[in-house]
Amino acid sequence: MRWTTAGLLALGLAAAAPLAAAQPMAQPMAQPMAQPAAADSVASLAPAAWLQADPADSLYRSARLALSRGRYQEAADLFNRITTRYPKSGYAPDALYWEAFARYRQGGVANLRAARRQLERQERLHPRAATRGDAAALKARIDGELARQGDAEAAERLTEYGAAIAPTPPVPPTPATPAAPPVAGSRAPKPPKPPRPPRAPRAGSYRQDACANEDDVKITALNALLQMDEARAVPILKRVLARRDAESTCLRRKAVFLVSQKRTAETETILLDAARNDPDGEVRGQAVFWLSQVGTERSTAALDSILRTSKDPEIQDKAVFALSQQGTARSNAALRAYAERTDVSGEMREKAIFWLGQSGSTENAAWLRSLYGRLRDEELKEKVIFSLSQMGSRENGRWLVDVAKNPSEPIEMRKKALFWAGQTGSLTGADLGALYDSMRDREMKEQIVFSLSQMNHDRQAMDKLIAIARRDPDPELRKKALFWVGQSDDPRAAEMLEAVLEGR
């Protein structure tokens, strides 16, 4: 499966979804803790009344009921009445939060600013309120909404919240490992395992678990940046990525992802600079990964340069994948040049060969066929055979059969070529039957018997298997053919087995 830009972006946006709220601070009273709602990442359900003797108890019950039923204006007014009429009430510290939450849910600039003022009041008057942890996250969310609506002061406040958890970019899909052919009654080769695509960037010198401990305020602030328009968000992100202190590492990791989602004229330049110059290996890796979604000539040239000059295997891995996702003539040429290099690891060359095979390009197919004859490493040759089989086409099928027929090739390589030729769908039972008759090598004949057995809906393949089982001069080959006939649900199989048992 090939990754699309839309698919990667969808996964990237999912990675930036709000996370669960931090635990609120303890309060001396025996108050139930408010439970955060998953959709909000801040507390959204006020706890049941717990102070029956409190003068504001009935007001609190009415306010809580209004909030739970979505009557936000009524709820805000009732919670406000608690704090103005009964400032010494045990409900007053958290009533400020619940009023702010109700006004936030109402929306609109006036309500948002009023909500923020109540949260600031709570912070000043009741620093140990049970809802203080949620209040900090709600305040950052309010700033994000205000910034989205053009409030410059709110936008600037977002930059002061600090670093946030760095999301992991989506992992490209691992190509399915083809099922190994059954070995009972045959000596079929084990199919080569295709290389894994690059994983999302891993932590570099700065520990990833340090990022995992960031609090809700910072998470919410970064989520708010994602919602801001490009004109406001990109300058902030550039300033973040320009930092080089260790404390900003988590924020820079997050910022790379955010920049990739803000498609502006500067996106490419910012990502290229991060890929080349950031001191953190994970930031560089993420920048290379997200460059795969840009797809311009300049980004291709930069990825090619990174691939040619980088000594970091993880960066090379991501550059190979990024180039494969662009699918342009220049990116394919860069991958082909890399696959031919003898100064890089065989594993990296295998990956380049694999991704070239996923392109479906006739030019890449012709190049892979020519590369095979120049290779001496058998594992690389196996990857070429596998990649060509995945590209399909009758031309590739014929080429694989030619490899299988070539007596100068190692026998195991010939068997693998024949196995994968049968998987291309370009060979018929008649083709394999003719190949069987022309083959002199017994091991190759065994492989053809197996390949014939896999053509369940090809009548000529079953005809040939029955003919081998009945008349082949080699008793071992007859037994193998007989075994596979017995595995078939073709009605002629039962007739043939009965005839063998009766000596006919």
Side-chain angles (χ1 to χ4, degrees), residues 31 46 50 56 60 63 75-76 78-84 86 89-102 118-119 121-122 126 129 131:
Q31 173 189 350
W50 70 97
Y60 178 83
L78 289 169
F79 281 120
N80 180 266
R81 203 176 303 172
I82 292 174
T83 58
T84 54
Y86 307 104
S89 164
Y91 291 111
D94 296 302
L96 290 166
Y97 171 83
W98 293 116
E99 178 190 346
F101 179 78
Q118 292 299 76
L119 293 175
R121 185 180 171 197
Q122 184 196 47
H126 306 287
T131 49

PDB file of all heavy atoms in Angstrom, residues 31 46 50 56 60 63 75-76 78-84 86 89-102 118-119 121-122 126 129 131:
ATOM      1  N   GLN A  31     -14.034  16.879  49.036  1.00  0.00           N
ATOM      2  CA  GLN A  31     -14.804  17.121  47.814  1.00  0.00           C
ATOM      3  C   GLN A  31     -14.500  16.061  46.774  1.00  0.00           C
ATOM      4  O   GLN A  31     -13.347  15.750  46.529  1.00  0.00           O
ATOM      5  CB  GLN A  31     -14.456  18.495  47.240  1.00  0.00           C
ATOM      6  CG  GLN A  31     -15.105  18.743  45.880  1.00  0.00           C
ATOM      7  CD  GLN A  31     -14.586  20.001  45.242  1.00  0.00           C
ATOM      8  OE1 GLN A  31     -13.891  20.769  45.872  1.00  0.00           O
ATOM      9  NE2 GLN A  31     -14.927  20.219  43.993  1.00  0.00           N
ATOM     10  N   ALA A  46     -19.412  18.779  36.703  1.00  0.00           N
ATOM     11  CA  ALA A  46     -19.242  19.206  38.096  1.00  0.00           C
ATOM     12  C   ALA A  46     -19.630  18.076  39.040  1.00  0.00           C
ATOM     13  O   ALA A  46     -20.604  17.361  38.782  1.00  0.00           O
ATOM     14  CB  ALA A  46     -20.104  20.435  38.366  1.00  0.00           C
ATOM     15  N   TRP A  50     -21.755  18.292  47.928  1.00  0.00           N
ATOM     16  CA  TRP A  50     -21.176  17.547  49.055  1.00  0.00           C
ATOM     17  C   TRP A  50     -21.193  18.340  50.368  1.00  0.00           C
ATOM     18  O   TRP A  50     -20.724  17.858  51.388  1.00  0.00           O
ATOM     19  CB  TRP A  50     -19.746  17.132  48.710  1.00  0.00           C
ATOM     20  CG  TRP A  50     -18.737  18.253  48.656  1.00  0.00           C
ATOM     21  CD1 TRP A  50     -17.891  18.623  49.653  1.00  0.00           C
ATOM     22  CD2 TRP A  50     -18.481  19.140  47.575  1.00  0.00           C
ATOM     23  NE1 TRP A  50     -17.120  19.697  49.261  1.00  0.00           N
ATOM     24  CE2 TRP A  50     -17.457  20.022  47.968  1.00  0.00           C
ATOM     25  CE3 TRP A  50     -19.024  19.287  46.294  1.00  0.00           C
ATOM     26  CZ2 TRP A  50     -16.974  21.044  47.142  1.00  0.00           C
ATOM     27  CZ3 TRP A  50     -18.540  20.282  45.457  1.00  0.00           C
ATOM     28  CH2 TRP A  50     -17.524  21.146  45.890  1.00  0.00           C
ATOM     29  N   ALA A  56     -24.628  28.031  50.159  1.00  0.00           N
ATOM     30  CA  ALA A  56     -24.743  28.055  48.694  1.00  0.00           C
ATOM     31  C   ALA A  56     -25.093  26.691  48.121  1.00  0.00           C
ATOM     32  O   ALA A  56     -25.060  26.508  46.898  1.00  0.00           O
ATOM     33  CB  ALA A  56     -23.428  28.554  48.087  1.00  0.00           C
ATOM     34  N   TYR A  60     -25.655  25.771  44.194  1.00  0.00           N
ATOM     35  CA  TYR A  60     -24.715  24.885  43.508  1.00  0.00           C
ATOM     36  C   TYR A  60     -25.449  23.750  42.798  1.00  0.00           C
ATOM     37  O   TYR A  60     -25.148  23.409  41.646  1.00  0.00           O
ATOM     38  CB  TYR A  60     -23.694  24.309  44.490  1.00  0.00           C
ATOM     39  CG  TYR A  60     -22.717  23.350  43.832  1.00  0.00           C
ATOM     40  CD1 TYR A  60     -21.586  23.814  43.165  1.00  0.00           C
ATOM     41  CD2 TYR A  60     -22.947  21.978  43.862  1.00  0.00           C
ATOM     42  CE1 TYR A  60     -20.707  22.940  42.537  1.00  0.00           C
ATOM     43  CE2 TYR A  60     -22.077  21.089  43.237  1.00  0.00           C
ATOM     44  CZ  TYR A  60     -20.958  21.575  42.581  1.00  0.00           C
ATOM     45  OH  TYR A  60     -20.105  20.699  41.960  1.00  0.00           O
ATOM     46  N   ALA A  63     -27.069  25.140  39.697  1.00  0.00           N
ATOM     47  CA  ALA A  63     -26.056  25.463  38.688  1.00  0.00           C
ATOM     48  C   ALA A  63     -25.523  24.185  38.036  1.00  0.00           C
ATOM     49  O   ALA A  63     -25.343  24.118  36.812  1.00  0.00           O
ATOM     50  CB  ALA A  63     -24.909  26.240  39.327  1.00  0.00           C
ATOM     51  N   ALA A  75     -26.249  28.368  33.754  1.00  0.00           N
ATOM     52  CA  ALA A  75     -25.234  27.809  34.645  1.00  0.00           C
ATOM     53  C   ALA A  75     -24.204  28.862  35.031  1.00  0.00           C
ATOM     54  O   ALA A  75     -23.812  28.981  36.207  1.00  0.00           O
ATOM     55  CB  ALA A  75     -24.548  26.618  33.983  1.00  0.00           C
ATOM     56  N   ALA A  76     -23.740  29.643  34.036  1.00  0.00           N
ATOM     57  CA  ALA A  76     -22.741  30.679  34.317  1.00  0.00           C
ATOM     58  C   ALA A  76     -23.282  31.697  35.313  1.00  0.00           C
ATOM     59  O   ALA A  76     -22.584  32.108  36.256  1.00  0.00           O
ATOM     60  CB  ALA A  76     -22.324  31.364  33.017  1.00  0.00           C
ATOM     61  N   LEU A  78     -25.644  31.248  37.586  1.00  0.00           N
ATOM     62  CA  LEU A  78     -25.811  30.653  38.911  1.00  0.00           C
ATOM     63  C   LEU A  78     -24.477  30.463  39.619  1.00  0.00           C
ATOM     64  O   LEU A  78     -24.348  30.727  40.825  1.00  0.00           O
ATOM     65  CB  LEU A  78     -26.543  29.314  38.789  1.00  0.00           C
ATOM     66  CG  LEU A  78     -28.033  29.408  38.413  1.00  0.00           C
ATOM     67  CD1 LEU A  78     -28.583  28.027  38.063  1.00  0.00           C
ATOM     68  CD2 LEU A  78     -28.830  30.039  39.566  1.00  0.00           C
ATOM     69  N   PHE A  79     -23.455  29.996  38.890  1.00  0.00           N
ATOM     70  CA  PHE A  79     -22.132  29.850  39.516  1.00  0.00           C
ATOM     71  C   PHE A  79     -21.581  31.217  39.920  1.00  0.00           C
ATOM     72  O   PHE A  79     -20.920  31.360  40.965  1.00  0.00           O
ATOM     73  CB  PHE A  79     -21.167  29.141  38.563  1.00  0.00           C
ATOM     74  CG  PHE A  79     -21.350  27.649  38.505  1.00  0.00           C
ATOM     75  CD1 PHE A  79     -21.673  27.014  37.306  1.00  0.00           C
ATOM     76  CD2 PHE A  79     -21.206  26.866  39.639  1.00  0.00           C
ATOM     77  CE1 PHE A  79     -21.845  25.638  37.241  1.00  0.00           C
ATOM     78  CE2 PHE A  79     -21.362  25.488  39.596  1.00  0.00           C
ATOM     79  CZ  PHE A  79     -21.697  24.870  38.396  1.00  0.00           C
ATOM     80  N   ASN A  80     -21.865  32.241  39.108  1.00  0.00           N
ATOM     81  CA  ASN A  80     -21.404  33.591  39.445  1.00  0.00           C
ATOM     82  C   ASN A  80     -22.087  34.095  40.707  1.00  0.00           C
ATOM     83  O   ASN A  80     -21.474  34.785  41.535  1.00  0.00           O
ATOM     84  CB  ASN A  80     -21.691  34.539  38.276  1.00  0.00           C
ATOM     85  CG  ASN A  80     -21.224  35.951  38.567  1.00  0.00           C
ATOM     86  OD1 ASN A  80     -21.997  36.794  39.034  1.00  0.00           O
ATOM     87  ND2 ASN A  80     -19.950  36.216  38.288  1.00  0.00           N
ATOM     88  N   ARG A  81     -23.371  33.722  40.893  1.00  0.00           N
ATOM     89  CA  ARG A  81     -24.106  34.154  42.068  1.00  0.00           C
ATOM     90  C   ARG A  81     -23.499  33.554  43.340  1.00  0.00           C
ATOM     91  O   ARG A  81     -23.483  34.184  44.399  1.00  0.00           O
ATOM     92  CB  ARG A  81     -25.576  33.742  41.931  1.00  0.00           C
ATOM     93  CG  ARG A  81     -26.534  34.585  42.783  1.00  0.00           C
ATOM     94  CD  ARG A  81     -27.974  34.189  42.524  1.00  0.00           C
ATOM     95  NE  ARG A  81     -28.324  34.310  41.124  1.00  0.00           N
ATOM     96  CZ  ARG A  81     -29.475  33.881  40.609  1.00  0.00           C
ATOM     97  NH1 ARG A  81     -30.350  33.256  41.391  1.00  0.00           N
ATOM     98  NH2 ARG A  81     -29.725  34.038  39.325  1.00  0.00           N
ATOM     99  N   ILE A  82     -22.954  32.342  43.218  1.00  0.00           N
ATOM    100  CA  ILE A  82     -22.309  31.720  44.386  1.00  0.00           C
ATOM    101  C   ILE A  82     -21.123  32.559  44.842  1.00  0.00           C
ATOM    102  O   ILE A  82     -20.958  32.862  46.033  1.00  0.00           O
ATOM    103  CB  ILE A  82     -21.859  30.287  44.048  1.00  0.00           C
ATOM    104  CG1 ILE A  82     -23.062  29.376  43.836  1.00  0.00           C
ATOM    105  CG2 ILE A  82     -20.958  29.728  45.153  1.00  0.00           C
ATOM    106  CD1 ILE A  82     -22.692  27.983  43.356  1.00  0.00           C
ATOM    107  N   THR A  83     -20.266  32.951  43.898  1.00  0.00           N
ATOM    108  CA  THR A  83     -19.035  33.659  44.272  1.00  0.00           C
ATOM    109  C   THR A  83     -19.293  35.100  44.692  1.00  0.00           C
ATOM    110  O   THR A  83     -18.500  35.673  45.443  1.00  0.00           O
ATOM    111  CB  THR A  83     -18.037  33.642  43.107  1.00  0.00           C
ATOM    112  OG1 THR A  83     -18.644  34.248  41.956  1.00  0.00           O
ATOM    113  CG2 THR A  83     -17.632  32.216  42.761  1.00  0.00           C
ATOM    114  N   THR A  84     -20.372  35.713  44.215  1.00  0.00           N
ATOM    115  CA  THR A  84     -20.657  37.104  44.606  1.00  0.00           C
ATOM    116  C   THR A  84     -21.452  37.175  45.898  1.00  0.00           C
ATOM    117  O   THR A  84     -21.209  38.049  46.745  1.00  0.00           O
ATOM    118  CB  THR A  84     -21.422  37.823  43.487  1.00  0.00           C
ATOM    119  OG1 THR A  84     -22.599  37.071  43.143  1.00  0.00           O
ATOM    120  CG2 THR A  84     -20.543  37.989  42.251  1.00  0.00           C
ATOM    121  N   TYR A  86     -21.860  34.474  48.187  1.00  0.00           N
ATOM    122  CA  TYR A  86     -21.286  33.644  49.254  1.00  0.00           C
ATOM    123  C   TYR A  86     -19.795  33.401  49.001  1.00  0.00           C
ATOM    124  O   TYR A  86     -19.364  32.275  48.769  1.00  0.00           O
ATOM    125  CB  TYR A  86     -22.025  32.306  49.339  1.00  0.00           C
ATOM    126  CG  TYR A  86     -23.527  32.444  49.480  1.00  0.00           C
ATOM    127  CD1 TYR A  86     -24.364  32.205  48.391  1.00  0.00           C
ATOM    128  CD2 TYR A  86     -24.092  32.809  50.694  1.00  0.00           C
ATOM    129  CE1 TYR A  86     -25.736  32.326  48.503  1.00  0.00           C
ATOM    130  CE2 TYR A  86     -25.470  32.934  50.833  1.00  0.00           C
ATOM    131  CZ  TYR A  86     -26.292  32.698  49.732  1.00  0.00           C
ATOM    132  OH  TYR A  86     -27.664  32.822  49.861  1.00  0.00           O
ATOM    133  N   SER A  89     -18.177  30.558  50.846  1.00  0.00           N
ATOM    134  CA  SER A  89     -18.753  29.221  50.691  1.00  0.00           C
ATOM    135  C   SER A  89     -17.685  28.210  50.290  1.00  0.00           C
ATOM    136  O   SER A  89     -16.706  28.535  49.592  1.00  0.00           O
ATOM    137  CB  SER A  89     -19.857  29.254  49.629  1.00  0.00           C
ATOM    138  OG  SER A  89     -20.187  27.944  49.195  1.00  0.00           O
ATOM    139  N   GLY A  90     -17.887  26.981  50.729  1.00  0.00           N
ATOM    140  CA  GLY A  90     -16.974  25.915  50.312  1.00  0.00           C
ATOM    141  C   GLY A  90     -17.066  25.608  48.828  1.00  0.00           C
ATOM    142  O   GLY A  90     -16.161  24.979  48.268  1.00  0.00           O
ATOM    143  N   TYR A  91     -18.152  26.065  48.198  1.00  0.00           N
ATOM    144  CA  TYR A  91     -18.292  25.850  46.755  1.00  0.00           C
ATOM    145  C   TYR A  91     -17.631  26.959  45.926  1.00  0.00           C
ATOM    146  O   TYR A  91     -17.431  26.805  44.726  1.00  0.00           O
ATOM    147  CB  TYR A  91     -19.778  25.801  46.382  1.00  0.00           C
ATOM    148  CG  TYR A  91     -20.519  24.590  46.881  1.00  0.00           C
ATOM    149  CD1 TYR A  91     -21.485  24.705  47.881  1.00  0.00           C
ATOM    150  CD2 TYR A  91     -20.260  23.337  46.355  1.00  0.00           C
ATOM    151  CE1 TYR A  91     -22.182  23.594  48.346  1.00  0.00           C
ATOM    152  CE2 TYR A  91     -20.945  22.211  46.814  1.00  0.00           C
ATOM    153  CZ  TYR A  91     -21.909  22.348  47.809  1.00  0.00           C
ATOM    154  OH  TYR A  91     -22.584  21.245  48.250  1.00  0.00           O
ATOM    155  N   ALA A  92     -17.328  28.105  46.553  1.00  0.00           N
ATOM    156  CA  ALA A  92     -16.867  29.282  45.816  1.00  0.00           C
ATOM    157  C   ALA A  92     -15.578  29.053  45.017  1.00  0.00           C
ATOM    158  O   ALA A  92     -15.488  29.492  43.865  1.00  0.00           O
ATOM    159  CB  ALA A  92     -16.697  30.458  46.773  1.00  0.00           C
ATOM    160  N   PRO A  93     -14.540  28.361  45.573  1.00  0.00           N
ATOM    161  CA  PRO A  93     -13.298  28.220  44.805  1.00  0.00           C
ATOM    162  C   PRO A  93     -13.501  27.553  43.437  1.00  0.00           C
ATOM    163  O   PRO A  93     -12.944  28.008  42.435  1.00  0.00           O
ATOM    164  CB  PRO A  93     -12.418  27.361  45.724  1.00  0.00           C
ATOM    165  CG  PRO A  93     -12.924  27.652  47.097  1.00  0.00           C
ATOM    166  CD  PRO A  93     -14.402  27.807  46.937  1.00  0.00           C
ATOM    167  N   ASP A  94     -14.341  26.508  43.410  1.00  0.00           N
ATOM    168  CA  ASP A  94     -14.532  25.808  42.145  1.00  0.00           C
ATOM    169  C   ASP A  94     -15.642  26.402  41.300  1.00  0.00           C
ATOM    170  O   ASP A  94     -15.711  26.163  40.096  1.00  0.00           O
ATOM    171  CB  ASP A  94     -14.801  24.329  42.410  1.00  0.00           C
ATOM    172  CG  ASP A  94     -13.606  23.653  43.049  1.00  0.00           C
ATOM    173  OD1 ASP A  94     -12.524  23.687  42.441  1.00  0.00           O
ATOM    174  OD2 ASP A  94     -13.749  23.113  44.163  1.00  0.00           O
ATOM    175  N   ALA A  95     -16.517  27.179  41.927  1.00  0.00           N
ATOM    176  CA  ALA A  95     -17.575  27.841  41.156  1.00  0.00           C
ATOM    177  C   ALA A  95     -16.966  28.773  40.112  1.00  0.00           C
ATOM    178  O   ALA A  95     -17.531  28.967  39.018  1.00  0.00           O
ATOM    179  CB  ALA A  95     -18.507  28.600  42.094  1.00  0.00           C
ATOM    180  N   LEU A  96     -15.818  29.360  40.427  1.00  0.00           N
ATOM    181  CA  LEU A  96     -15.145  30.229  39.449  1.00  0.00           C
ATOM    182  C   LEU A  96     -14.753  29.439  38.204  1.00  0.00           C
ATOM    183  O   LEU A  96     -14.901  29.915  37.073  1.00  0.00           O
ATOM    184  CB  LEU A  96     -13.909  30.869  40.092  1.00  0.00           C
ATOM    185  CG  LEU A  96     -14.184  31.931  41.169  1.00  0.00           C
ATOM    186  CD1 LEU A  96     -12.922  32.224  41.967  1.00  0.00           C
ATOM    187  CD2 LEU A  96     -14.725  33.199  40.509  1.00  0.00           C
ATOM    188  N   TYR A  97     -14.260  28.225  38.419  1.00  0.00           N
ATOM    189  CA  TYR A  97     -13.904  27.384  37.260  1.00  0.00           C
ATOM    190  C   TYR A  97     -15.149  27.013  36.462  1.00  0.00           C
ATOM    191  O   TYR A  97     -15.164  27.109  35.230  1.00  0.00           O
ATOM    192  CB  TYR A  97     -13.183  26.118  37.721  1.00  0.00           C
ATOM    193  CG  TYR A  97     -13.005  25.125  36.585  1.00  0.00           C
ATOM    194  CD1 TYR A  97     -11.943  25.247  35.694  1.00  0.00           C
ATOM    195  CD2 TYR A  97     -13.928  24.099  36.385  1.00  0.00           C
ATOM    196  CE1 TYR A  97     -11.790  24.360  34.637  1.00  0.00           C
ATOM    197  CE2 TYR A  97     -13.782  23.199  35.337  1.00  0.00           C
ATOM    198  CZ  TYR A  97     -12.725  23.344  34.465  1.00  0.00           C
ATOM    199  OH  TYR A  97     -12.579  22.465  33.406  1.00  0.00           O
ATOM    200  N   TRP A  98     -16.205  26.589  37.171  1.00  0.00           N
ATOM    201  CA  TRP A  98     -17.384  26.120  36.444  1.00  0.00           C
ATOM    202  C   TRP A  98     -18.084  27.258  35.708  1.00  0.00           C
ATOM    203  O   TRP A  98     -18.636  27.056  34.621  1.00  0.00           O
ATOM    204  CB  TRP A  98     -18.343  25.416  37.407  1.00  0.00           C
ATOM    205  CG  TRP A  98     -17.733  24.143  37.929  1.00  0.00           C
ATOM    206  CD1 TRP A  98     -17.401  23.849  39.213  1.00  0.00           C
ATOM    207  CD2 TRP A  98     -17.353  23.008  37.150  1.00  0.00           C
ATOM    208  NE1 TRP A  98     -16.826  22.611  39.307  1.00  0.00           N
ATOM    209  CE2 TRP A  98     -16.788  22.061  38.038  1.00  0.00           C
ATOM    210  CE3 TRP A  98     -17.430  22.686  35.800  1.00  0.00           C
ATOM    211  CZ2 TRP A  98     -16.313  20.836  37.636  1.00  0.00           C
ATOM    212  CZ3 TRP A  98     -16.961  21.465  35.376  1.00  0.00           C
ATOM    213  CH2 TRP A  98     -16.408  20.553  36.280  1.00  0.00           C
ATOM    214  N   GLU A  99     -18.039  28.460  36.263  1.00  0.00           N
ATOM    215  CA  GLU A  99     -18.563  29.604  35.517  1.00  0.00           C
ATOM    216  C   GLU A  99     -17.747  29.826  34.245  1.00  0.00           C
ATOM    217  O   GLU A  99     -18.298  30.048  33.162  1.00  0.00           O
ATOM    218  CB  GLU A  99     -18.539  30.871  36.373  1.00  0.00           C
ATOM    219  CG  GLU A  99     -19.049  32.096  35.600  1.00  0.00           C
ATOM    220  CD  GLU A  99     -18.824  33.406  36.336  1.00  0.00           C
ATOM    221  OE1 GLU A  99     -18.514  33.380  37.547  1.00  0.00           O
ATOM    222  OE2 GLU A  99     -18.945  34.459  35.679  1.00  0.00           O
ATOM    223  N   ALA A 100     -16.416  29.756  34.388  1.00  0.00           N
ATOM    224  CA  ALA A 100     -15.545  29.949  33.223  1.00  0.00           C
ATOM    225  C   ALA A 100     -15.802  28.876  32.175  1.00  0.00           C
ATOM    226  O   ALA A 100     -15.866  29.170  30.966  1.00  0.00           O
ATOM    227  CB  ALA A 100     -14.083  29.930  33.655  1.00  0.00           C
ATOM    228  N   PHE A 101     -15.979  27.646  32.635  1.00  0.00           N
ATOM    229  CA  PHE A 101     -16.228  26.561  31.682  1.00  0.00           C
ATOM    230  C   PHE A 101     -17.543  26.787  30.930  1.00  0.00           C
ATOM    231  O   PHE A 101     -17.630  26.586  29.715  1.00  0.00           O
ATOM    232  CB  PHE A 101     -16.255  25.217  32.410  1.00  0.00           C
ATOM    233  CG  PHE A 101     -16.523  24.054  31.501  1.00  0.00           C
ATOM    234  CD1 PHE A 101     -15.523  23.523  30.696  1.00  0.00           C
ATOM    235  CD2 PHE A 101     -17.799  23.503  31.408  1.00  0.00           C
ATOM    236  CE1 PHE A 101     -15.774  22.466  29.837  1.00  0.00           C
ATOM    237  CE2 PHE A 101     -18.061  22.445  30.557  1.00  0.00           C
ATOM    238  CZ  PHE A 101     -17.040  21.923  29.771  1.00  0.00           C
ATOM    239  N   ALA A 102     -18.586  27.194  31.659  1.00  0.00           N
ATOM    240  CA  ALA A 102     -19.875  27.432  31.018  1.00  0.00           C
ATOM    241  C   ALA A 102     -19.772  28.558  29.987  1.00  0.00           C
ATOM    242  O   ALA A 102     -20.341  28.472  28.890  1.00  0.00           O
ATOM    243  CB  ALA A 102     -20.927  27.768  32.078  1.00  0.00           C
ATOM    244  N   GLN A 118     -12.295  35.063  35.143  1.00  0.00           N
ATOM    245  CA  GLN A 118     -12.680  34.267  36.304  1.00  0.00           C
ATOM    246  C   GLN A 118     -11.608  33.229  36.658  1.00  0.00           C
ATOM    247  O   GLN A 118     -11.382  32.937  37.831  1.00  0.00           O
ATOM    248  CB  GLN A 118     -14.026  33.574  36.057  1.00  0.00           C
ATOM    249  CG  GLN A 118     -15.222  34.547  35.972  1.00  0.00           C
ATOM    250  CD  GLN A 118     -15.412  35.339  37.255  1.00  0.00           C
ATOM    251  OE1 GLN A 118     -14.660  36.299  37.531  1.00  0.00           O
ATOM    252  NE2 GLN A 118     -16.406  34.962  38.050  1.00  0.00           N
ATOM    253  N   LEU A 119     -10.958  32.685  35.653  1.00  0.00           N
ATOM    254  CA  LEU A 119      -9.868  31.735  35.923  1.00  0.00           C
ATOM    255  C   LEU A 119      -8.682  32.437  36.575  1.00  0.00           C
ATOM    256  O   LEU A 119      -8.027  31.879  37.475  1.00  0.00           O
ATOM    257  CB  LEU A 119      -9.446  31.049  34.627  1.00  0.00           C
ATOM    258  CG  LEU A 119     -10.489  30.119  33.992  1.00  0.00           C
ATOM    259  CD1 LEU A 119      -9.998  29.600  32.649  1.00  0.00           C
ATOM    260  CD2 LEU A 119     -10.816  28.946  34.927  1.00  0.00           C
ATOM    261  N   ARG A 121      -8.958  35.033  38.432  1.00  0.00           N
ATOM    262  CA  ARG A 121      -9.419  35.328  39.789  1.00  0.00           C
ATOM    263  C   ARG A 121      -9.272  34.093  40.683  1.00  0.00           C
ATOM    264  O   ARG A 121      -8.830  34.193  41.841  1.00  0.00           O
ATOM    265  CB  ARG A 121     -10.878  35.786  39.732  1.00  0.00           C
ATOM    266  CG  ARG A 121     -11.435  36.238  41.058  1.00  0.00           C
ATOM    267  CD  ARG A 121     -12.877  36.664  40.896  1.00  0.00           C
ATOM    268  NE  ARG A 121     -13.515  36.916  42.179  1.00  0.00           N
ATOM    269  CZ  ARG A 121     -14.822  36.983  42.369  1.00  0.00           C
ATOM    270  NH1 ARG A 121     -15.646  36.798  41.322  1.00  0.00           N
ATOM    271  NH2 ARG A 121     -15.324  37.219  43.563  1.00  0.00           N
ATOM    272  N   GLN A 122      -9.622  32.926  40.140  1.00  0.00           N
ATOM    273  CA  GLN A 122      -9.458  31.705  40.917  1.00  0.00           C
ATOM    274  C   GLN A 122      -7.995  31.466  41.262  1.00  0.00           C
ATOM    275  O   GLN A 122      -7.649  31.097  42.382  1.00  0.00           O
ATOM    276  CB  GLN A 122     -10.014  30.498  40.150  1.00  0.00           C
ATOM    277  CG  GLN A 122      -9.950  29.204  40.945  1.00  0.00           C
ATOM    278  CD  GLN A 122     -10.122  27.973  40.083  1.00  0.00           C
ATOM    279  OE1 GLN A 122      -9.487  27.854  39.036  1.00  0.00           O
ATOM    280  NE2 GLN A 122     -10.981  27.048  40.515  1.00  0.00           N
ATOM    281  N   HIS A 126      -7.753  31.426  45.044  1.00  0.00           N
ATOM    282  CA  HIS A 126      -7.895  30.038  45.501  1.00  0.00           C
ATOM    283  C   HIS A 126      -6.873  29.130  44.802  1.00  0.00           C
ATOM    284  O   HIS A 126      -7.239  28.267  43.995  1.00  0.00           O
ATOM    285  CB  HIS A 126      -9.317  29.537  45.222  1.00  0.00           C
ATOM    286  CG  HIS A 126     -10.392  30.410  45.787  1.00  0.00           C
ATOM    287  ND1 HIS A 126     -10.664  30.475  47.132  1.00  0.00           N
ATOM    288  CD2 HIS A 126     -11.249  31.280  45.175  1.00  0.00           C
ATOM    289  CE1 HIS A 126     -11.659  31.324  47.342  1.00  0.00           C
ATOM    290  NE2 HIS A 126     -12.025  31.839  46.170  1.00  0.00           N
ATOM    291  N   ALA A 129      -7.559  25.281  44.851  1.00  0.00           N
ATOM    292  CA  ALA A 129      -8.866  24.757  44.442  1.00  0.00           C
ATOM    293  C   ALA A 129      -8.686  23.429  43.710  1.00  0.00           C
ATOM    294  O   ALA A 129      -7.698  23.206  43.011  1.00  0.00           O
ATOM    295  CB  ALA A 129      -9.581  25.761  43.539  1.00  0.00           C
ATOM    296  N   THR A 131     -10.021  22.311  41.175  1.00  0.00           N
ATOM    297  CA  THR A 131     -10.067  22.409  39.703  1.00  0.00           C
ATOM    298  C   THR A 131      -8.904  23.210  39.135  1.00  0.00           C
ATOM    299  O   THR A 131      -8.920  23.545  37.941  1.00  0.00           O
ATOM    300  CB  THR A 131     -11.392  23.072  39.267  1.00  0.00           C
ATOM    301  OG1 THR A 131     -11.592  24.274  40.038  1.00  0.00           O
ATOM    302  CG2 THR A 131     -12.568  22.132  39.477  1.00  0.00           C
TER     303      THR A 131
END
